[in-house]
Amino acid sequence: DAGITQSPRHKVTETGTPVTLRCHQTENHRYMYWYRQDPGHGLRLIHYSYGVKDTDKGEVSDGYSVSRSKTEDFLLTLESATSSQTSVYFCAIRPGTDLYEQYFGPGTRLTVT
Amino acid sequence: GQQVMQIPQYQHVQEGEDFTTYCNSSTTLSNIQWYKQRPGGHPVFLIQLVKSGEVKKQKRLTFQFGEAKKNSSLHITATQTTDVGTYFCAPGSGGSNYKLTFGKGTLLTVNP
């Protein structure tokens, strides 16, 4: 499974609290992505990274920030969680510039109450 | 990103029947990928299509890219219960900072 782990796998938090999700990869891939998946919306890109400290926004980036201080870790932060951010979050990696397929982590189910 | 319409949203078949899902775009696509997600699982890459009119096969799965590169299809011959899941198409943007835009998927259920 491309050596991708996500933590935590499940989390319940209250509205207004900060939350950080971690994506860790073991194979030094340059490109990493954060998606959210909701019924009726499929997978939507939140943020992505194309190198250490190099990140950019996706289509649903409002309310989220990311950081990548090391190649292997890509962090997604919800500064002040809202109920609309209840979702399943997937991290993905892309192996290289000539290979476009993405490989996904197992996902984090986040519930904001 | 490039938007696509995937149809149908849901398909229920008897085991052994064939299944097809379609992905349609109003604009020309540079390439398209297909993913499968089992219930409770994560998306898994199946295939990428790049060339106009391209056809690729993986056992019982046949993938096509339209001649105009505006549509694609996934056909499963003689479905099995292991084919259950949601199938997503995902056109890719060009350039080195490559991004995918996923369709909403087709959920396939198979009655044994």
Side-chain angles (χ1 to χ4, degrees):
Chain A
D1 276 335
I4 307 167
T5 57
Q6 292 185 233
S7 58
R9 294 293 313 281
H10 302 271
K11 187 171 182 67
V12 179
T13 193
E14 292 184 347
T15 298
T17 59
V19 177
T20 295
L21 308 182
R22 179 183 184 232
C23 178
H24 178 78
Q25 54 137 334
T26 59
E27 299 183 14
N28 291 321
H29 296 303
R30 179 179 173 189
Y31 297 91
M32 298 183 76
Y33 305 80
W34 276 109
Y35 294 89
R36 60 177 290 174
Q37 185 172 38
D38 306 287
H41 290 278
L43 286 150
R44 293 181 291 175
L45 181 65
I46 306 172
H47 281 279
Y48 66 101
S49 171
Y50 46 96
V52 173
K53 299 192 190 311
D54 291 324
T55 65
D56 204 351
K57 296 179 179 180
E59 61 180 300
V60 290
S61 60
D62 287 349
Y64 301 95
S65 63
V66 289
S67 66
R68 193 164 177 207
S69 58
K70 299 184 291 184
T71 300
E72 58 265 37
D73 289 325
F74 192 29
L75 305 181
L76 176 70
T77 297
L78 292 65
E79 301 290 347
S80 178
T82 67
S83 58
S84 65
Q85 293 176 312
T86 292
S87 187
V88 179
Y89 292 86
F90 287 102
C91 172
I93 60 93
R94 175 158 73 93
T97 51
D98 294 331
L99 296 170
Y100 293 134
E101 62 261 34
Q102 294 186 12
Y103 296 93
F104 286 77
T108 294
R109 182 173 295 276
L110 176 68
T111 303
V112 184
T113 61
Chain B
Q2 295 169 306
Q3 301 298 318
V4 288
M5 177 74 70
Q6 234 184 302
I7 52 173
Q9 274 191 289
Y10 309 95
Q11 184 78 60
H12 178 74
V13 300
Q14 289 292 128
E15 190 171 23
E17 292 181 339
D18 291 356
F19 159 77
T20 304
T21 175
Y22 301 89
C23 190
N24 299 313
S25 170
S26 59
T27 61
T28 302
L29 306 173
S30 57
N31 59 78
I32 194 162
Q33 298 180 15
W34 285 91
Y35 290 77
K36 176 185 178 182
Q37 184 176 22
R38 288 200 162 100
H42 58 274
V44 174
F45 173 77
L46 293 176
I47 205 104
Q48 175 170 280
L49 305 171
V50 178
K51 300 176 184 175
S52 169
E54 189 169 16
V55 178
K56 288 188 177 180
K57 293 189 176 185
Q58 291 179 348
K59 297 183 180 178
R60 293 178 296 104
L61 277 60
T62 302
F63 304 85
Q64 294 192 16
F65 204 8
E67 293 289 344
K69 298 180 75 173
K70 288 187 175 181
N71 56 73
S72 181
S73 65
L74 159 59
H75 179 82
I76 302 178
T77 303
T79 54
Q80 301 175 0
T81 54
T82 53
D83 295 324
V84 164
T86 301
Y87 293 85
F88 294 97
C89 65
S93 63
S96 58
N97 289 343
Y98 186 83
K99 293 184 289 185
L100 293 174
T101 302
F102 283 80
K104 293 186 179 180
T106 297
L107 172 61
L108 172 65
T109 56
V110 179
N111 199 31

